């Protein structure tokens, strides 16, 4: 059978167009040839970027989304994208062996065993690629570089001289080997830094990471899209709530500190276990990331919902409420009434306020939220959203763009 030139400029040898579109044959990944002109994105971070959600019974490829496999070749992308035991980069097997995996077996034996027994492996990457292709009409390339359980220190640019024995060096070598220009970076990392010795410096260290990565790639304006951390429900995890709040806050405020950066949140998404997003949530996250990447591709600064003002006032019935206004809310909030996630604090002091929120509801399509208080205190207030390791948050607009968690913000007097 002659080769077929399909959509996205893909040439596939020996397959019908129906097979090509459905991605039903594993051989597709070996025989397909990627276009020279693709939008290539780095996937970096720890386990939620690597992908720990359950694999579906079938994981079809998409004819316009490509993965630069950890063996160092372009393939049509299908989950799992990260096959760490197959990696040519020394750092991945070294980290796994340091954690006690693979004793007495070669990397090849571990890769074969993992292929036979694998049940998890879905991250946001494939959904991101499909959604970005749909938004731009261009082929998308993915560079899987993530590794579960890794702190930001293990991604430090100062380890570049270690080459592929470091995560940073392996990422740089992967970019060079793929022989394609890079359009941006997707980053989901920070859980391992939610400890007292690391959380307070996370913002500064992440900024250094971005600055050095852009310098080493020769791309000073390279888009960088981060994920604000999701929830964790493991009571045995010895990480204080305030450390999760600090790292989440650092990620949420990234666009205000680093040009050409953007952030979306996973704080509202559901889990498969104590810390890993489930399959549906990973796909939602991928689409959210793609929406931001598409804005960069169109030359726009990505915009996501954000708090503009919070004002305490007394309504006509004599009840005390806080009225919050938000920017960049598309079509209003999906959640109409009984909106969870907001918490009141005493302004400038530790501890909760003497009043709390009885009910929060949205108003119209403009993004306004009214939070009815249990009483009308005289004390100055601050309001926060998504506080703690396991907050209940559901606030998204009609394009599924979430409100990022934020630390206490002063409430003004109306």
């Amino acid at each position: 059978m002659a080769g077929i030139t399909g959509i996205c400029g893909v040439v596939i040898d020996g397959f019908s167009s129906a097979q090509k579109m459905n991605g039903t044959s594993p051989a597709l990944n070996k025989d397909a040839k990627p276009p020279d002109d693709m939008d290539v994105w780095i996937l970096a971070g720890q386990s939620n970027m690597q992908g720990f959600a359950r694999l579906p019974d079938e994981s079809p490829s998409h004819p316009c989304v490509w993965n630069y496999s950890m063996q160092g070749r372009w393939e049509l992308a299908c989950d799992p994208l990260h096959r760490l035991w197959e990696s040519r980069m020394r750092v991945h097997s070294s980290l796994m062996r340091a954690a006690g995996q693979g004793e007495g077996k070669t990397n090849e034996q571990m890769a074969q065993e993992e292929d036979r027994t694998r049940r998890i492996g879905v991250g946001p990457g494939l959904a991101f690629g499909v959604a970005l292709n749909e938004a731009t009409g261009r082929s998308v390339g993915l560079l899987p570089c993530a590794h579960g359980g890794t702190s930001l220190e293990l991604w430090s640019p100062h380890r570049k001289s270690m080459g592929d024995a470091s995560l940073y060096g392996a990422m740089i070598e992967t970019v060079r080997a793929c022989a394609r220009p890079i359009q941006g970076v997707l980053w989901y990392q920070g859980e391992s830094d939610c400890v007292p010795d690391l959380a307070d410096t996370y913002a500064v260290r992440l900024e250094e990471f971005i600055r050095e990565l852009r310098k080493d790639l020769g791309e000073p304006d390279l888009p960088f899209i981060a994920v604000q951390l999701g929830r964790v429900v493991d009571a045995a995890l010895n990480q204080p709530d305030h450390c999760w709040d600090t790292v989440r806050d650092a990620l949420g405020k990234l666009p205000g500190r680093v040009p050409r950066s953007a952030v979306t949140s996973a704080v509202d998404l559901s889990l498969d276990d104590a810390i890993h997003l489930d399959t549906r949530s990973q796909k939602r996250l991928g689409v959210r990331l793609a929406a931001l990447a598409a804005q960069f591709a169109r030359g726009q600064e990505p915009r996501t919902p954000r708090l503009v003002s919070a004002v305490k006032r007394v309504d006509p019935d004599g009840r005390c409420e806080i009225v919050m206004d938000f920017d960049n809310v598309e079509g209003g909030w999906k959640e109409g009434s009984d909106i969870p996630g907001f918490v009141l604090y005493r302004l400038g002091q530790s501890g909760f306020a003497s009043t709390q929120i009885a009910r929060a509801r949205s108003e119209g399509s403009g993004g306004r939220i009214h939070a009815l208080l249990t009483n009308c205190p005289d004390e100055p207030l601050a309001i926060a959203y998504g506080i703690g390791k396991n907050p209940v948050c559901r606030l998204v607009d009609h394009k599924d763009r979430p409100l990022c968690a934020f630390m206490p913000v002063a409430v003004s007097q109306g």
Side-chain angles (χ1 to χ4, degrees):
M1 184 183 295
I4 299 168
T5 302
I7 57 176
C8 316
V10 179
V11 178
I12 302 177
D13 294 326
F15 290 92
S16 70
S17 58
Q19 286 174 311
K20 171 172 69 66
M21 291 302 297
N22 294 329
T24 54
S25 172
L28 270 174
N29 282 353
K30 297 178 181 179
D31 296 334
K33 299 179 177 65
D36 293 329
D37 185 24
M38 288 195 296
D39 290 341
V40 178
W41 285 77
I42 296 169
L43 311 181
Q46 45 188 120
S47 55
N48 271 308
M49 181 60 78
Q50 178 186 329
F52 266 65
R54 290 185 179 276
L55 288 164
D57 291 337
E58 294 184 5
S59 182
S61 331
H62 186 283
C64 302
V65 183
W66 299 81
N67 189 48
Y68 191 69
S69 79
M70 305 199 91
Q71 292 179 329
R73 61 172 180 263
W74 284 108
E75 304 173 338
L76 283 171
C78 63
D79 285 318
L81 303 177
H82 290 79
R83 299 172 181 261
L84 299 186
W85 283 110
E86 297 178 11
S87 178
R88 300 178 306 149
M89 304 297 168
R90 291 176 293 162
V91 63
H92 295 296
S93 60
S94 294
L95 287 172
M96 290 187 290
R97 291 189 182 282
Q101 300 178 48
E103 186 175 355
K105 297 179 181 178
T106 66
N107 290 355
E108 184 178 6
Q109 288 171 328
M110 287 301 299
Q112 291 171 349
E113 181 178 311
E114 193 172 55
D115 266 346
R116 289 193 303 270
T117 61
R118 183 184 283 114
R119 296 291 181 270
I120 59 174
V122 175
L126 182 55
F128 165 82
V130 172
L132 185 57
N133 164 257
E134 291 174 353
T136 65
R138 291 176 54 78
S139 291
V140 177
L142 307 172
L143 300 188
C145 299
H147 193 111
T150 53
S151 67
L152 185 52
E153 173 58 29
L154 289 175
W155 288 90
S156 173
H158 301 295
R159 297 172 179 248
K160 180 176 63 173
S161 61
M162 297 169 61
D164 73 337
S166 75
L167 289 168
Y168 187 88
M171 177 173 56
I172 297 296
E173 290 194 19
T174 299
V175 169
R176 290 171 179 160
C178 83
R180 299 291 196 286
I182 304 300
Q183 296 299 314
V185 181
L186 304 184
W187 179 255
Y188 193 158
Q189 191 278 335
E191 295 95 335
S192 292
D193 289 81
C194 293
V195 294
D197 291 342
L198 299 176
D200 289 340
T201 62
Y202 186 83
V204 173
R205 292 184 292 120
L206 182 59
E207 288 176 36
E208 180 191 26
F209 170 83
I210 298 169
R211 183 174 59 251
E212 293 303 312
L213 179 59
R214 287 171 168 174
K215 184 189 301 181
D216 286 331
L217 296 181
E219 296 284 352
D221 297 320
L222 187 71
F224 189 95
I225 305 177
V227 179
Q228 190 183 55
L229 301 185
R231 302 177 296 117
V232 60
V233 295
D234 189 352
L237 188 64
N238 188 25
Q239 293 178 316
D241 279 20
H242 71 86
C243 291
W244 278 79
D245 296 335
T246 299
V247 173
R248 275 206 195 103
D249 196 55
L251 290 160
K253 291 178 177 176
L254 186 67
R257 300 192 313 268
V258 177
R260 302 279 290 168
S261 68
V263 64
T264 188
S265 187
V267 72
D268 64 307
L269 297 177
S270 52
L271 303 175
D272 243 355
D273 56 30
I275 198 169
H276 296 116
L277 301 184
D278 63 24
T279 303
R280 180 174 177 271
S281 292
Q282 285 286 19
K283 292 178 179 179
R284 286 179 69 188
L285 178 59
V287 174
R288 292 175 179 181
L289 292 165
L292 297 173
Q295 287 179 287
F296 277 124
R298 291 191 289 265
Q300 303 168 345
E301 282 298 314
R303 297 181 179 276
T304 54
R306 69 180 183 92
L307 178 67
V308 175
S309 64
V311 180
K312 185 177 77 170
R313 72 181 191 188
V314 179
D315 72 10
D317 297 324
R319 298 176 301 182
C320 196
E321 67 175 0
I322 294 174
V323 179
M324 292 174 281
D325 284 308
F326 298 83
D327 264 349
N328 310 319
V329 179
E330 292 281 349
W333 299 111
K334 277 190 175 180
E335 197 79 11
S337 60
D338 295 325
I339 300 170
F342 292 102
V343 183
L344 291 177
Y345 292 85
R346 294 175 292 179
L347 182 63
Q349 303 179 49
S350 61
F352 296 115
S354 59
T355 186
Q356 281 303 320
I357 295 170
R359 183 186 70 245
R361 61 178 177 83
S362 63
E363 176 187 286
S365 61
R368 173 169 285 188
I369 291 177
H370 295 261
L372 179 67
L373 305 187
T374 54
N375 57 65
C376 255
D378 293 327
E379 64 183 350
L381 299 175
I383 193 163
Y385 178 74
I387 295 297
K389 292 200 291 274
N390 186 26
V392 178
C393 298
R394 296 196 294 265
L395 203 52
V396 298
D397 68 12
H398 279 269
K399 287 194 174 180
D400 198 42
R401 302 186 310 171
L403 177 65
C404 283
F406 58 83
M407 298 282 267
V409 174
V411 175
S412 60
Q413 185 71 45

